[in-house]
Structure formats: structure tokens, C-alpha cells
Amino acid sequence: MSQSVARRTVTVTNEQGLHARPAYLLASMAKEFDAKIEVVTDNERVDVTSILSTLTLGAEKGTELQLEAIGPDAVAALKALAELFEQGFPGGEKAQTTEQN
Amino acid sequence: MAIGEALVIDNEGFRIPRRFVSRDVVETELERLQTAIQSVGNEIGRNRDAISEQLGEQYGAIFAAHLQMLHDPNLQQELESLVRERQCSPEYAVSRVMQRYAKVFESLDSGHIAERAHDIRDIEKNLLRHLLGQRREELSNLTSPVIVLAHNLTPSETANLDPEFVQGFVTEIGGLGGHTAIVAEALAIPAIVGVGQFLSDVSGGEKVIIDGDLGRLILQPDEKTLNGYHQEAEQHRSFAEQLEELQELPAETLDGEQISLTANIEFPYEVNACISSGADGIGLYRTEFLYLGADSEPSEGIHFEAYSRVVQAMGELPVVFRTLDLGADKMGRDPHEDEDERNPFLGLRSIRLSLRNLPLFRTQLRAILRASALGNARVMFPLIATLPELRQAKMVLAELMEDLEEEGVPFDRSIQKGIMIEVPSAVMMIDRFAKEVDFVSIGTNDLIQYALAVDRSNKNVAELYRASDPSVLHLIDMTVQGAKRAAVPVSLCGQMSSNPKYTMLLLGLGLRGLSVPPMALPEIKKICRSVSIEQCQEIAERALEMDNARDVDSLLREELKKHAPEIIQC
């Protein structure tokens, strides 16, 4: 199995930041892939499948995060996760504004 | 003072158990942890389904997030490694790891994420509930010495503590004069009540020190502190041994005045401590603890068995039975349940409760009367505020005597009847009361709270509760003078009598009878033997002239230092 590595920078766009629901959606999405996906900051690496660890980042709206995936489907995984960030984690408060558009 | 291993009881009465488990049970403990996680997971899953159905998927997602937190891979790994590698108990591991996450979340700037701390604590509580589910009773089944740390202990929980293993306890709430403190004193358990919040800093199993003299709880003491306290414990022991030598000697002042030192007890077994401390009798037998330990109202037989044990053990010496003195606080009942009892200290308690529940009152009085055939029993009615109350209580007693006579059951026809002076109204009417009783006993705990209008268990006002307030001293003075005019014996029970600081003052006010917890008796005796009545009278005269409690306190401290410097001041 090829251990490809992918990196991508994402921005938290939803109003309330990376709170429980977004962290939940991230973790759920990450579990769909074989790749190990982490948020890399200056002083730690946080596994996205751990909702508690993601929450401890305390990322508010506008925060830039460096994602890194290692595994056969690394590129696809980051693409899917980046979409979640771009859409502002649909299903919650943001979803309603999307519907209005 | 006590040094020992901490046992933490949380807000809901859960015990947070010891920190470590032995190596050979690690695997079973891990299984227990997994079972608890599964059970909590099932509960959350059910909640999610129910909420999704009722309110829609978005709301159910909140619980989905909870579920993901519970099954978080990092959390699982942290818990497992604490149990497996550090041999922590699952309860300790859960409490430690979850507390840490909650604290991290709380420290975040983002409000929405910080609020997730609630979720974490919720999950923690649920896990502990499952882990501890079957073990809540363990407090009464201790097998090793511990110091109990709790948010609050009810008087009945305190009464059920096993003095053999509970070396001391500390609570976050409660006041100095409260009943929990009194029960602790009776059990001779060092305790500090109402120190404020500290439980978030302990997990159980670590070494702690209770310094009762300073009212301090020391968590994680260093080596030096620990040694200091070990030394002090040694000094306490040797002083106690010296006091024991006083046991056979009378409580006689330097100028030859005999003081009657009797004991306050709650439990029949304390009678041994009374005898070994050389008490002149039992001046206050708090009978309500029979009611607190039991699930149902005790029968006459249960009362009689307890009372006769005490009376027989004391032989010729008097045993004063105080009838039921329960209030809502001691019953452990929630006063909020009853609209009318929102102010329990001014509500249906004590003699009022007895006179309103005559079958209950009669059961107790019959048992006291029957015990009077076996020794020197006396009966005392608490919280008497008016003469009609006293007369009614005496009438119930007289009727029971007739019944017993008819039934041919033996009892003491001339049993002495007395009242507690605890309500200022009774002090004002002392001359009239004294004509209708055989003795009076001043109950300072309630007298102080009613005179100064202070709820002694309310820490917002607890510091206003001062035994040394001149108004209290005048109330005592009036009572003693009134009783003397009628030639009725007067004594004083309540915590004031057991604090060596007040002994000289009380003798100076004319009291010749003090009833104190058995533990305090040798110390009070030592003071009686070190002073003359003349000195005491001078102190009392000066104190009665003062206009505030602080001045009285400093006078008393100074005099105690002068006359009995070896007494350890608390």
C-alpha cells in the first residue's frame, strides 16, 4: 500500500468555531478513510478522529489550520475534510443560510 | 488532628475510591471500565434516538457528539494506560482524565467550546455512576483508616461513620455549631466543617492532614510538614495521658467547691467513655440518634433496650434523658418540601414536634419511665418556650405513669423532671418555670442562635454566632440567679461547656454543673482543679460589664493562659 502524504491548509469559516458539532463531523468523516489525518500546529499534532483533542485546539472563526494525512487515500481524505471547512460544517447554523441562498 | 489517606465523597454522595488497584486485578478492572463505557454509550444512544425522533436530527446530533467523546480513541487510550501501566483504579482514571479535559475546555477563549466542559462533566458523572453503582454503601463498610472529604455530610451520615476507620472528615459546607459538628465531637472524630471549595483538587488516596486547632485541611503535605504534625500528634497523646490520671480525682476548685461534671452522649456505647473519664453522671443523653439511624420509627422496645443499657451501666449516677429534639435539619428532610417549614429553627421541632405527635412522644416517655426502674433516670424537655408547653408535657408523662401503674410495670414515681433553657422567653420567665421543675439545664447552642438571631449553619452569618457575646452571658446569669432563688439545680450543656476557654467564666456565673462530651471532660476537670471560685467570680463580673464578644474573648484567653497554661487553646 502506498503511504502517500498530503498537506492542506484550511480556514475555520463557521461563526461558532470548531465546537462540538464540527468536531463531531470532522471525526466522523475522518473515520471513513484509511489515512491517518492530523491537525499540525506549532507545538502538537492532533488526531482528527479524536473529538476531544480537536476541541482542545479551541479554534475560532478565522483560524488557519494545517491538515496532514498519511495513507493510501490521503489526498481524497483531505479533499473531503477541506470541503467540510469550506461549507462551514453544514447541518447546523450555517446550513440554514445556505438554504436561503 | 489527624493524618491519613483521603477518601472523597462527591456532591451526590458517590465515593471516589482509592487511587490504585493491585496488579493482579488490572484486567478485571479494565473490563469493568469497558462495561461502564458500553452502558453509558447505550444510554446516550437511546437519548439520541429519542431526541432525534421528537425534535429532529440536528438536536440528536448533540448526543451523537457525546457518544463520540465517550468513545474517543485518545480518551480510551489514556484511560487504559492509567489503569494498565500506573495501576490506577478506573474511577480515579475517569475522574482524573475527564477533569483535565474539562479544565482545558474551560480555559479556552472560545465560549462555545468552553461550554463543552459541561458535556465532559456529564459524561464523567455517568461513567462514575456506572462504575460505583453497586458500591455506594461502602462508607459504612470501611476496612482501612481514611479521612473522609465531602461536599457535605448530613448529621445521620456522620452518625453512621465508623470511628474505628474514619480518622477525621472535612466538608465544604456547614457551620461550626451545626449538628454535623456536634455528632463528630460525640464520636470523637476530628472534623472541619465548612472550609469552602477544595474537592476539585483531590482525587482520593493521597495523604492529607486535618488540623482541627487551626481549622485547616492540608492537601499533599511535604515531608517537613508531615514530620511536624507527627510530632504534634505525639504531644497530644502524652497530654491526654496526663489528663487520664485525673480520672479518679474530684472536680474540686482550689477553694474546695465541688463541681459536678457530667457527660453528653448520643449513643449507648459512649457510656464506657463516660465511666472511664470519671463523669458524675450523664447530663445530656441526646435520644434522637435512635431515630436517625433507623428507617422506621423506633419501637418502645428499641428505646427501652438502649435506655436501660445506659441507666444500668451508670448505676447510682443520674442519666438525664432529653426527649426527642429533632428538627427538619436533623431529620435529613428537605425543608423546602414543606412550604410551612422553610424556617426549620422557628418551625415544628423538638418539644413542639413531640406534642403534635403524641403517639411518638408517648412511646419514648414510656421507655424512659420503664428505664427509671433500673437506675437514676431523669427526663428533660427541650426547647420549652412557654409554661403551657411544659404543663402539657408533664401531663402526658403523668398519664403514662398511671397507665404503667395499672399495668403493674415498675418505674420511678418520683422521677425528676426538668427543662432545657434554650429560648430567651424561658429565661425571661425563669422564676415561674423554676417552680414547676426539678432541675434546669441551659442549652447554649440554641440559646445563642435564638438570642443573636443567627443560623449557626449559615456561613454567611456564622461568625455572628458568639458564645461570648455579653447578651448570652446575661441570659445565662439570669437563668442561674432564677434557679438559685427557687433552689432548683442548674447546669449547662451545649458546646460552650466543653470549651476550656469558658470554664472559669461559667463557674464565676454561679454554675456548679457542667455537662460536656466525655472526651472533653478531663480537660475541663483540670481547669476546675486549677482555679478558685473567687478568681472565677472576678472574671465573670468583668465579662458581664463588657459590651462586645471580642473583648470577652480576649479576657477569657488571657485568664486561661494565666491559670491553665498547659491547656491547648482551640
Side-chain angles (χ1 to χ4, degrees), chain B residues 46-92:
Chain B
R46 277 195 297 276
N47 281 338
R48 180 195 54 195
D49 296 346
I51 296 288
S52 297
E53 203 171 292
Q54 284 171 26
L55 303 171
E57 285 290 333
Q58 304 104 292
Y59 292 94
I62 300 166
F63 292 97
H66 276 200
L67 208 51
Q68 214 174 52
M69 290 180 195
L70 177 71
H71 292 297
D72 189 294
N74 282 10
L75 175 70
Q76 292 269 346
Q77 199 204 334
E78 284 170 275
L79 291 175
E80 267 199 49
S81 89
L82 276 179
V83 177
R84 195 183 296 282
E85 281 147 38
R86 313 258 308 262
Q87 288 163 49
C88 293
S89 68
E91 290 90 344
Y92 173 69

Side-chain angles (χ1 to χ4, degrees), chain B residues 361-530:
Chain B
F361 194 33
R362 288 203 185 100
T363 303
Q364 178 172 37
L365 287 179
R366 264 182 74 100
I368 295 172
L369 283 172
R370 283 172 59 196
S372 73
L374 305 169
N376 189 353
R378 297 174 183 182
V379 61
M380 178 161 73
F381 304 118
L383 206 78
I384 295 283
T386 66
L387 281 154
E389 280 171 342
L390 168 63
R391 290 172 189 153
Q392 208 187 333
K394 280 171 72 178
M395 205 162 70
V396 176
L397 190 71
E399 282 166 8
L400 289 170
M401 285 183 171
E402 277 173 33
D403 291 351
L404 289 174
E405 204 138 82
E406 267 173 37
E407 292 167 33
V409 178
F411 66 96
D412 176 8
R413 249 229 156 265
S414 56
I415 184 170
Q416 288 200 16
K417 297 165 279 288
I419 55 170
M420 289 200 68
I421 302 291
E422 297 174 285
V423 186
S425 67
V427 178
M428 301 311 294
M429 300 291 280
I430 186 67
D431 288 317
R432 309 282 280 278
F433 276 109
K435 284 183 191 141
E436 302 190 22
V437 295
D438 301 309
F439 64 92
V440 300
S441 184
I442 304 172
T444 48
N445 296 5
D446 275 335
L447 186 61
I448 296 165
Q449 80 159 345
Y450 290 128
L452 296 173
V454 177
D455 174 357
R456 53 194 162 152
S457 59
N458 176 347
K459 67 175 185 314
N460 294 325
V461 292
E463 61 175 38
L464 299 174
Y465 179 94
R466 302 283 286 266
S468 46
D469 194 278
S471 64
V472 175
L473 308 186
H474 281 281
L475 287 168
I476 295 171
D477 186 46
M478 280 176 72
T479 308
V480 173
Q481 298 311 321
K484 279 199 171 153
R485 281 192 291 276
V488 164
V490 51
S491 63
L492 187 141
C493 53
Q495 280 163 317
M496 199 176 174
S497 64
S498 60
N499 188 334
K501 189 170 78 178
Y502 300 115
T503 310
M504 283 179 278
L505 171 69
L506 295 175
L507 298 184
L509 287 170
L511 283 154
R512 296 295 176 267
L514 297 176
S515 199
V516 303
M519 283 288 290
L521 203 139
E523 200 173 57
I524 302 299
K525 189 190 274 186
K526 185 161 176 65
I527 297 181
C528 293
R529 292 178 58 83
S530 318

Side-chain angles (χ1 to χ4, degrees), chain A residues 27-101:
Chain A
S28 305
M29 182 68 88
K31 282 178 193 160
E32 305 276 317
F33 296 93
D34 293 327
K36 180 180 173 68
I37 311 163
E38 291 174 317
V39 176
V40 184
T41 69
D42 291 343
N43 39 33
E44 60 182 336
R45 303 177 74 91
V46 166
D47 185 340
V48 180
T49 59
S50 166
I51 182 171
L52 292 173
S53 308
T54 308
L55 285 171
T56 55
L57 291 171
E60 294 181 71
K61 187 186 181 186
T63 312
E64 282 199 353
L65 296 171
Q66 182 73 41
L67 296 182
E68 186 179 298
I70 306 172
D73 47 8
V75 176
L78 285 199
K79 184 167 179 291
L81 259 57
E83 266 173 31
L84 278 178
F85 275 96
E86 281 156 22
Q87 293 165 5
F89 303 98
E93 80 259 47
K94 186 78 178 202
Q96 284 156 5
T97 42
T98 321
E99 277 160 19
Q100 281 160 10
N101 289 344

Side-chain angles (χ1 to χ4, degrees), chain B residues 116-162:
Chain B
R116 299 286 69 79
H118 294 301
D119 298 347
I120 297 290
R121 293 197 199 280
D122 200 29
I123 295 169
E124 178 198 359
K125 201 176 259 181
N126 284 324
L127 280 173
L128 288 177
R129 183 163 48 80
H130 277 278
L131 285 169
L132 294 161
Q134 307 305 315
R135 304 181 159 204
R136 293 188 71 167
E137 297 306 312
E138 270 184 286
L139 193 52
S140 49
N141 298 318
L142 294 169
T143 50
S144 64
V146 290
I147 288 178
V148 174
L149 307 179
H151 177 62
N152 190 18
L153 284 177
T154 64
S156 53
E157 278 170 333
T158 313
N160 285 323
L161 294 176
D162 183 348

